[in-house]
């Protein structure tokens, strides 16, 4: 006679029934140094996340044993900052690897729900003016509302083996379009674009372009590198500068645009799940996109909490951009006029 085999929850075997939540780990029981070294963030930051996400993470579930918001957040931070579901990480807070995965999914969705709260362009004129002044203080480039660039994040091959995610290096990736301010705060993050798309194509199709062409073009512009087309709201470097004014423009452009490059390096260093050193994100493109966006939200929250020291470049396998830069010749005569006026007015 066949004996039915029950599939048991590892957490249930370890902890049994009887409590509404599994409070295996207490923040007050460990040192600040331990939290920072294991989960990548200090106690105050983690407590803020518990307050921010606690209600969402406490939603009723069909499971007999819910994991506390605190434990879920620690599990997710452990994954974001280490890039792995190592057994020791789950052991540290007393949950199984399967539960670690569920925690990451829950926290990721809770952070994605709040993306617009933490990632957005300023609306009021005073803040916009301050944004421009802060950029001008870096290298004398006027009118800058943000610096834009793309970065690739490696993902596993989709089940359908969708070639649209294969980038120019033959690897599966998402091409993520990012904009930040002079401090590295993200103002826009679109993390879902297939890796086969060139940076200029991503921007052409992005919500960012629609925003700037219909709402945000307030006597200012973004700065992008030579992988993008020159637009009235997007200033790119000159391919072959010839005059002193053109050289000064390119130097100011490069020094200012460097902020987004440093920001992306910092993010890959802080969130090792993005840098490829632990392998690709083992999720579908949609779920991988949400994980990247969740890290973007955490990046901005960390800057709000004063954790804004620029980090050293991460030794990941994915470079910042898959582009082989080619001069993108603009056919927009108005955009050429705007850049020429900028050269004459501020760099001559």
């Amino acid at each position: 006679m066949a004996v039915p085999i029950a599939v048991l929850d590892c957490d249930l075997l370890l902890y049994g029934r009887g409590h509404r939540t599994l409070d295996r780990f207490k923040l007050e029981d460990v040192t600040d140094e331990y939290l920072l070294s294991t989960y990548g963030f200090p106690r105050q930051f983690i407590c803020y996340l518990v307050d921010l996400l606690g209600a969402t993470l406490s939603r009723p579930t069909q499971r007999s044993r819910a994991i506390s918001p605190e434990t879920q957040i620690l599990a997710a931070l452990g994954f974001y900052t280490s890039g792995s579901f190592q057994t020791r990480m789950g052991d540290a807070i007393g949950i199984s690897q399967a539960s670690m995965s569920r925690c990451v999914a829950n926290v990721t969705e809770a952070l994605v729900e709040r993306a617009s709260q933490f990632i957005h362009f300023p609306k009021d004129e005073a803040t916009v003016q301050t944004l421009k002044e802060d950029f001008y203080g870096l290298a004398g480039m006027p009118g800058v509302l943000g610096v834009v660039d793309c970065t690739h994040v490696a993902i596993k091959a989709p089940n359908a083996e969708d070639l649209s995610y294969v980038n120019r290096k033959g690897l599966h990736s998402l091409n993520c379009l990012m904009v930040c301010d002079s401090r590295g705060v993200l103002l826009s993050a679109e993390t879902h674009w297939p890796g086969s798309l060139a940076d200029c194509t991503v921007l052409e199709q992005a919500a960012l372009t629609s925003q700037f062409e219909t709402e945000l073009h307030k006597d200012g512009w973004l700065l992008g590198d030579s992988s993008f087309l020159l637009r009235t709201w997007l200033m790119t470097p000159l391919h072959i500068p010839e005059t002193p004014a053109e050289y000064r423009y390119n130097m100011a452009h490069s020094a200012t645009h460097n902020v987004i490059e440093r920001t992306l390096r910092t993010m890959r260093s802080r969130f090792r799940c993005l840098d490829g050193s632990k392998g690709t994100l083992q999720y579908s493109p949609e779920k991988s996109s949400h994980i990247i966006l969740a890290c973007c939200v955490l990046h901005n929250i960390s800057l709000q909490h004063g954790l804004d020291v620029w980090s050293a470049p991460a030794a990941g396998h994915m470079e910042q951009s898959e582009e082989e830069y080619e001069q993108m010749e603009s056919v927009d005569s108005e955009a050429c006029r705007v850049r020429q006026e900028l050269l004459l007015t501020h760099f001559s």
Side-chain angles (χ1 to χ4, degrees):
M1 177 178 176
V3 178
I5 299 175
V7 178
L8 300 179
D9 190 313
C10 295
D11 295 329
L12 185 59
L13 285 172
L14 285 171
Y15 299 98
R17 299 180 182 272
H19 295 86
R20 297 181 63 185
T21 61
L22 296 177
D23 295 317
R24 311 176 179 86
F25 185 96
K26 295 292 186 181
L27 286 176
E28 58 268 23
D29 292 340
V30 296
T31 64
D32 294 342
E33 291 74 15
Y34 175 82
L35 290 174
L36 193 59
S37 63
T38 306
Y39 303 103
F41 292 96
R43 185 185 310 274
Q44 182 182 11
F45 180 89
I46 296 170
C47 290
Y48 173 82
L49 291 181
V50 173
D51 291 339
L52 177 70
L53 307 178
T56 300
L57 298 176
S58 297
R59 288 171 180 167
T61 70
Q62 295 180 347
R63 294 172 54 78
S64 59
R65 302 280 298 203
I67 299 175
S68 70
E70 183 179 275
T71 300
Q72 292 184 61
I73 288 168
L74 289 170
L77 291 179
F79 169 72
Y80 298 145
T81 57
S82 72
S84 71
F85 287 119
Q86 295 178 358
T87 302
R88 66 176 182 81
M89 186 65 70
D91 290 345
I93 50 179
I95 61 175
S96 65
Q97 183 170 320
S99 292
M100 278 279 295
S101 182
R102 287 193 295 271
C103 290
V104 170
N106 292 341
V107 174
T108 295
E109 292 310 307
L111 288 167
V112 167
E113 287 176 7
R114 290 160 176 80
S116 61
Q117 177 184 345
F118 293 100
I119 304 174
H120 56 80
F121 282 90
K123 298 291 185 181
D124 62 283
E125 290 294 337
T127 308
V128 170
Q129 184 58 36
T130 299
L131 182 64
K132 294 179 183 179
E133 291 172 357
D134 289 344
F135 271 119
Y136 186 79
L138 295 179
M141 179 68 76
V144 180
L145 299 170
V147 284
V148 59
D149 209 345
C150 285
T151 187
H152 285 251
V153 176
I155 62 171
K156 74 172 184 178
N159 292 332
E161 191 58 33
D162 189 341
L163 294 179
S164 68
Y165 291 95
V166 179
N167 60 39
R168 296 175 70 159
K169 292 189 174 181
L171 304 174
H172 291 84
S173 68
L174 290 168
N175 195 2
C176 306
L177 182 70
M178 307 284 194
V179 180
C180 75
D181 70 10
S182 62
R183 288 182 53 238
V185 175
L186 294 173
L187 305 175
S188 178
E190 299 186 34
T191 61
H192 62 283
W193 297 103
S196 66
L197 295 183
D199 292 1
C200 61
T201 304
V202 168
L203 182 62
E204 181 180 348
Q205 299 178 12
L208 178 69
T209 294
S210 177
Q211 283 181 313
F212 262 80
E213 292 184 344
T214 60
E215 303 173 20
L216 290 173
H217 186 198
K218 301 176 180 178
D219 298 320
W221 36 71
L222 301 178
L223 297 187
D225 60 30
S226 296
S227 63
F228 298 112
L229 280 168
L230 177 70
R231 300 170 183 261
T232 57
W233 49 268
L234 177 66
M235 294 292 102
T236 60
L238 289 146
H239 182 43
I240 305 177
E242 297 177 347
T243 68
E246 290 175 346
Y247 276 102
R248 285 192 288 269
Y249 167 85
N250 270 14
M251 290 179 64
H253 186 292
S254 176
T256 308
H257 186 265
N258 182 253
V259 173
I260 185 67
E261 298 167 7
R262 294 167 67 198
T263 297
L264 295 175
R265 288 198 298 268
T266 294
M267 290 184 63
R268 287 195 300 274
S269 180
R270 176 170 283 161
F271 303 108
R272 301 304 293 270
C273 68
L274 306 182
D275 75 10
S277 65
K278 298 293 184 179
T280 62
L281 285 175
Q282 296 297 303
Y283 297 92
S284 68
E286 180 182 8
K287 289 184 178 179
S288 296
S289 171
H290 285 187
I291 287 173
I292 301 166
L293 186 55
C295 291
C296 291
V297 174
L298 289 173
H299 169 78
N300 275 9
I301 295 175
S302 70
L303 291 179
Q304 289 183 4
H305 282 74
L307 308 177
D308 57 355
V309 177
W310 298 108
S311 300
H317 297 145
M318 296 301 294
E319 296 178 358
Q320 176 186 325
S321 176
E322 296 297 319
E323 292 296 310
E324 294 177 6
Y325 288 159
E326 300 175 1
Q327 177 64 12
M328 305 296 294
E329 295 295 338
S330 177
V331 296
D332 187 338
S333 59
E334 179 62 15
C336 292
R337 185 196 65 78
V338 170
R339 185 170 65 181
Q340 187 62 30
E341 183 177 333
L342 176 60
L343 278 162
L344 294 173
T345 304
H346 293 279
F347 295 97
S348 294

